[in-house]
Amino acid sequence: MFESGWDAGLDDAQLSAVVHGDGPLVILAGAGTGKTRTLTARVASLLDRGVPAERVLLLTFTRRAADEMVSRAARLCTQPDAGQRLAGGTFHAVAHAVISRHTEALGLPPAVSVLDRADATDVMDLLRHDHGLDGTDRRFPRAATLVDIYSRAVNTGVPARALIKTDFGWVQPHVDAVMELFRAYVARKRDRGLLDFDDLLLAWRSLLADPVIGPQIAGRWDHVLVDEYQDVNATQVDIVHALRPGGHGLTVVGDDAQAIYGFRGSDHAHLRGLVQELPEVTVVRLERNFRSHQRLLDLANVVRPGAEGEHRITLHSDRQEGRPARLVRCHDAPAEARIIVDSVLEAHQKGRRLREQAVLMRAAAHSDLLEVELTARGVPFVKYGGLKFLEAAHVKDFVAAVRLLDNPRDEVAWYRLLRLHDGIGPARARSLLGSLADPELSADLDRHAEAVAAAPAMSRVALAASLSALADARSRDRIGERARGCLELLRPLLTARYRDWSARLGDLERLVGAADQSPDLAAFVAELTLDPPASTSDLAGPPSQDDDYLVLSTVHSAKGLEWPVVHVLHLVDGSFPSDMALGTPEGVEEEARLFYVALTRAADELNLYAPLRMPHHRHARDDRHSMAPLSRFLDDAALDRVEVVDLTPPRPGADPAGAAARGARVALPDLADLWA
C-alpha cells in the first residue's frame, strides 16, 4: 500500500499501468473500466516518484476532463501545489499557450485573435462576397459548408480537391473557385493575425518541427499523457510524436471501439498504429467493467467492433445478476414516443428517479416526437447534443405566432413577434402594442395600418408582410395548414436573423408535422408553452427548474457518461445507422462504434426501441411511410442476448384466435366448366 493512497481500489491491470516506468505505454481501456481513475492515478504516481508537476503534460479533448484529472491527481499525490503546476488541457488550449510564447517566430503579431467556428464562417462569408460568389449561384456552397470542407482537409491531410470529389460531389463544378477562396482565407487570416482552431494545431506542429524551437518546447515536459487517443487526427498524432520522440515518457489511453468522431478528421487506426510504431511499447488492457452487469456486457461484447486478436477487449463484470437488454418492437414513431414515456414513468413509480434515466438517439432531431410527448404529459427533461427543442428561440417565435391565431390580443406574443423585425427594438415594440392588441381590430389583421405606419421606415415592408401572412394563416381551416402559415410568416424573418436559418426552419418543419397530428391547435400550443415567452431569450435557459428531470442526449454527447437506466430509440436502418453513413464501409463501421457506445452507457437496465414503420418523409403531412428494417447491428447473435417485446398492433382483419385452426369455411370454385 502506497502512502498517498493513489493505488486504493485499483485492480491488477490498472495497477500495472499506474506503476509502469518511463517507456511508452498504451492503455486499451474498454467502456466503464475506470480509465479516468487509472490515468489520474498514474499522474499521481509519477509525482510521488519525484517527477516535478510542471514536467507533466496531460492532453484531453474537453477542459472538464482535464480539470477533473488534474484536481484529482493533485489530491492523491504528496507534492505541494501540484494542481497549480500540472500542465493540463485540451490540444487547442495548450497549443494556444505555446503559440503565445512564439508569435514572432511564426510571423504573427504579439496578440493573436482566435476564431471560433462562427467567426471562421463569418470570414469565409466576407470572402464569398469579395469574390462575387454570394447570390450569383444558389448552389455555390454556403460559408459553413466551405469551413467544413476546409477543416476536414486540414485535419485529415487529404487535399481539398480530392475530398470534394469523394465527399462533396455537388461542389465539384465550383472546385476552382473554392480553391481560390481557401487560398484567400489563409491569406486573410495571416494578414489580420487570426487563427482558427485548425491553425492552432498547425502552428504548434510547425513550431515543434523547427530544429531550434521544437526541442525547446518538447523539452518542457518529461511525461505526456493523452486521453481518448482513438479520437486524435493526423495533426495531433504529429504533435504527440514530436513531443515525445521514440515514445519515452508517453502514455496514451484509448479504445478503438469508441472512436466516433471520424467526421472531425479523427481515425481510430492511429491507436493501433502507435503500437506498431513503438517496438518497445507496453500494452495494458483494461477489461473489468465497473459499470454494468454481465448480461448487458454479453450484448456489448457481441456487437463490439474493433481490433481482433491480442488487442481485442472483452468486457467482464463482477455483477452477474441483472435483466438482459430489452428490444421493444412498436408500430411507428409516435407509438415509440408513447411507449418510452410509459417505461420512464413506470420506472419512476418503482423508485427510479428521472435523472437516473437517459434516452439516447443517433441524431438530435430523432427526439422531436418524444419531446412533444414528454411535454404533453408533464415530464421535465433536459437535452444534450443541441439546444432543447422546445426552448429554442426560433421555436418560441413559432409558438408566439400560433398563439396570435386564436388570441390576437396576446401582448406577449406580439412583443416577441415585433422584435424579430429589424429596426424594432424593445421600446418601439411596446409603443406598437396598443394598436396591434386592440380588441376592436383583432378580427381583421389586415387593418393594422396604424401599426405599420408607426414602425420605422426600414421595417414597414417586412411588418406589413408579416401581418398579411398572419391573416392568411388565420383564414386556413386545417390545423396543419394554419401552423404552416405561421412557418411561412417566420421564414423571411428567420432567414434574415440567423446564420443557421436552414436548420432552424427544419426544426419548425418538424413542429408543423407534430401540430398536424393534434386535434386542437390551441391545446397543442398550450402544451408547448413551458414558460411565458417574455421570460425567454435567444439562449436556452436552465434545462429545468425541477430537481428531477429526464436526460435526453445524442450518443455523441453521452460518451463518457452513464446512467442506471438507458433507452435507445429509432433502432432501424436509416436512423441508426444513419442513412448518411451507409454509402461507405467506413461510415457503417463508425456507426457500429457509435452503437457500441450507446449500449455501454447503461449500468442496470437497457431498453432498445425499433418502430416497424417510419414516416416516408420526416416533414410529410400525410400518412406516407416506409417499413423500417431492424438495425443491422441487431443481428442474430445480438438478438440471442436480448429479450424481445412485441408491442405492435395486430394487422387489420387478423383473427387472433387463429381461423386457420378451424379450417376453411368457404369453398373456392374449381371453374370446371371453363376447362370442359
Side-chain angles (χ1 to χ4, degrees):
M1 179 69 180
F2 294 86
E3 198 173 295
S4 62
W6 44 256
D7 67 328
L10 299 176
D11 63 19
D12 291 343
Q14 292 172 323
L15 186 60
S16 68
V18 168
V19 302
H20 177 76
D22 297 337
L25 173 65
V26 173
I27 305 173
L28 301 178
T33 57
K35 61 98 173 171
T36 300
R37 170 67 192 280
T38 303
L39 196 59
T40 301
R42 176 154 175 77
V43 173
S45 77
L46 290 172
L47 301 186
D48 279 356
R49 282 165 41 191
V51 179
E54 61 273 15
R55 304 290 297 176
V56 177
L57 173 63
L58 178 63
L59 291 172
T60 65
F61 280 86
T62 66
R63 178 165 296 279
R64 184 177 64 179
D67 292 343
E68 179 184 356
M69 282 189 267
V70 167
S71 61
R72 288 172 61 180
R75 291 195 301 269
L76 291 172
C77 76
T78 58
Q79 277 197 35
D81 303 321
Q84 286 72 44
R85 295 184 291 121
L86 273 169
T90 65
F91 275 90
H92 294 95
V94 176
H96 183 254
V98 171
I99 293 166
S100 298
R101 298 184 176 94
H102 300 280
T103 53
E104 185 177 356
L106 291 165
L108 297 172
V112 296
S113 298
V114 178
L115 305 175
D116 62 15
R117 188 63 174 240
D119 295 329
T121 303
D122 286 342
V123 174
M124 195 70 76
D125 213 19
L126 289 172
L127 290 170
R128 288 173 79 247
H129 176 76
D130 292 347
H131 287 70
L133 297 171
D134 56 337
T136 61
D137 186 343
R138 297 198 318 177
R139 285 294 289 167
F140 192 84
R142 297 181 300 113
T145 302
L146 293 169
V147 171
D148 184 33
I149 297 171
Y150 175 91
S151 181
R152 288 178 64 179
V154 170
N155 288 317
T156 61
V158 177
R161 286 183 181 273
L163 188 65
I164 288 173
K165 186 176 182 179
T166 57
D167 295 355
F168 298 87
W170 66 270
V171 181
Q172 191 68 30
H174 310 285
V175 66
D176 291 334
V178 170
M179 296 303 105
E180 184 180 352
L181 274 181
F182 288 169
R183 290 190 291 269
Y185 178 65
V186 172
R188 175 71 67 91
K189 289 185 295 176
R190 291 180 178 176
D191 183 59
R192 305 294 175 89
L194 307 174
L195 296 175
D196 60 27
F197 284 0
D198 299 321
D199 292 329
L200 292 174
L201 298 182
L202 292 174
W204 190 10
R205 184 179 68 177
S206 297
L207 288 170
L208 287 168
D210 184 86
V212 176
I213 299 175
Q216 296 175 3
I217 297 174
R220 293 176 54 190
W221 300 291
D222 297 323
H223 286 270
V224 175
L225 301 93
V226 186
D227 191 20
E228 306 285 7
Y229 195 81
Q230 77 278 351
D231 293 330
V232 296
N233 59 40
T235 306
Q236 291 163 329
V237 168
D238 291 342
I239 290 170
V240 171
H241 282 302
L243 287 172
R244 304 312 309 157
H248 186 80
L250 176 64
T251 298
V252 306
V253 180
D255 179 9
D256 60 355
Q258 298 188 70
I260 58 176
Y261 296 107
F263 62 90
R264 297 194 312 207
S266 66
D267 188 346
H268 66 286
H270 293 312
L271 181 61
R272 305 179 200 173
L274 187 65
V275 176
Q276 298 169 352
E277 295 164 9
L278 301 175
E280 299 181 1
V281 68
T282 296
V283 178
V284 175
R285 294 185 299 166
L286 304 184
E287 298 181 297
R288 182 186 178 191
N289 182 284
F290 298 92
R291 175 183 302 160
S292 311
H293 59 76
Q294 190 61 50
R295 301 188 77 174
L296 297 184
L297 296 181
D298 288 341
L299 173 62
N301 288 331
V302 166
V303 305
R304 175 188 168 92
E308 300 294 337
E310 63 177 328
H311 296 149
R312 171 80 179 184
I313 295 291
T314 301
L315 299 176
H316 61 87
S317 173
D318 294 339
R319 298 172 57 198
Q320 298 298 314
E321 300 297 325
R323 195 191 76 181
R326 186 176 66 156
L327 172 63
V328 180
R329 300 306 311 267
C330 38
H331 180 56
D332 53 17
E336 178 188 53
R338 292 191 297 271
I339 292 168
I340 291 175
V341 178
D342 289 342
S343 298
V344 167
L345 294 178
E346 181 182 357
H348 186 257
Q349 291 175 351
K350 294 179 179 179
R352 185 71 73 182
R353 298 184 67 193
L354 294 177
R355 295 179 68 173
E356 295 179 310
Q357 305 183 65
V359 182
L360 306 185
M361 67 218 69
R362 169 61 182 86
H366 290 175
S367 67
D368 293 351
L369 290 176
L370 178 61
E371 292 180 50
V372 173
E373 183 72 15
L374 289 167
T375 302
R377 297 171 67 173
V379 180
F381 63 92
V382 57
K383 184 175 180 180
Y384 301 110
L387 201 61
K388 186 176 176 182
F389 184 68
L390 297 180
E391 289 186 346
H394 56 291
V395 177
K396 291 291 189 183
D397 299 336
F398 175 82
V399 169
V402 174
R403 282 170 40 184
L404 289 173
L405 298 182
D406 289 317
N407 184 13
R409 295 174 292 180
D410 190 330
E411 291 186 341
V412 175
W414 276 119
Y415 184 74
R416 186 173 189 94
L417 190 62
L418 284 168
R419 292 194 61 192
L420 291 176
H421 296 78
D422 289 340
I424 299 181
R428 183 59 62 93
R430 287 192 293 267
S431 70
L432 296 175
L433 289 177
S435 57
L436 288 173
D438 190 318
E440 295 298 322
L441 299 177
S442 64
D444 186 358
L445 297 175
D446 283 330
R447 291 174 55 195
H448 291 163
E450 180 182 343
V452 174
M458 64 178 298
S459 57
R460 288 172 189 166
V461 174
L463 181 58
S466 296
L467 295 174
S468 177
L470 194 62
D472 177 67
R474 193 166 185 254
S475 67
R476 301 182 182 185
D477 295 325
R478 289 183 56 195
I479 290 175
E481 287 301 316
R482 300 184 81 196
R484 181 160 296 279
C486 292
L487 185 151
E488 293 166 357
L489 181 161
L490 292 171
R491 187 183 301 274
L493 302 176
L494 299 188
T495 301
R497 190 175 186 85
Y498 300 113
R499 287 192 296 272
D500 59 345
W501 58 268
S502 180
R504 293 177 185 262
L505 288 174
D507 288 344
L508 299 189
E509 286 278 5
R510 290 188 287 273
L511 199 55
V512 168
D516 199 26
Q517 301 176 22
S518 175
D520 189 303
L521 188 58
F524 177 77
V525 171
E527 293 171 356
L528 296 181
T529 308
L530 304 177
D531 300 300
S535 68
T536 64
S537 67
D538 285 346
L539 297 177
S544 176
Q545 297 301 318
D546 298 82
D547 61 357
D548 193 20
Y549 48 81
L550 180 69
V551 175
L552 310 184
S553 177
T554 62
V555 182
H556 283 99
S557 296
K559 189 170 181 288
L561 304 176
E562 63 180 82
W563 296 268
V565 181
V566 170
H567 309 264
V568 187
L569 54 74
H570 279 15
L571 285 176
V572 296
D573 267 16
S575 292
F576 206 156
S578 169
D579 55 1
M580 298 179 63
L582 300 181
T584 63
E586 294 79 13
V588 176
E589 290 172 7
E590 179 147 324
E591 292 291 299
R593 295 191 291 271
L594 195 64
F595 181 61
Y596 174 79
V597 169
L599 299 189
T600 53
R601 300 310 95 194
D604 301 326
E605 298 180 27
L606 176 62
N607 300 298
L608 313 174
Y609 302 86
L612 289 181
R613 54 182 241 166
M614 298 289 287
H616 195 254
H617 189 280
R618 260 208 335 257
H619 314 315
R621 287 171 282 167
D622 53 34
D623 194 42
R624 289 178 296 171
H625 66 275
S626 297
M627 303 309 295
L630 186 64
S631 172
R632 66 190 64 193
F633 303 139
L634 291 169
D635 56 16
D636 290 343
L639 291 175
D640 286 342
R641 290 160 176 81
V642 303
E643 173 189 336
V644 180
V645 179
D646 190 352
L647 297 182
T648 58
R651 298 173 64 179
D655 184 357
R662 298 193 298 266
R665 294 184 296 178
V666 180
L668 292 173
D670 60 12
L671 305 179
D673 292 342
L674 296 179
W675 325 127

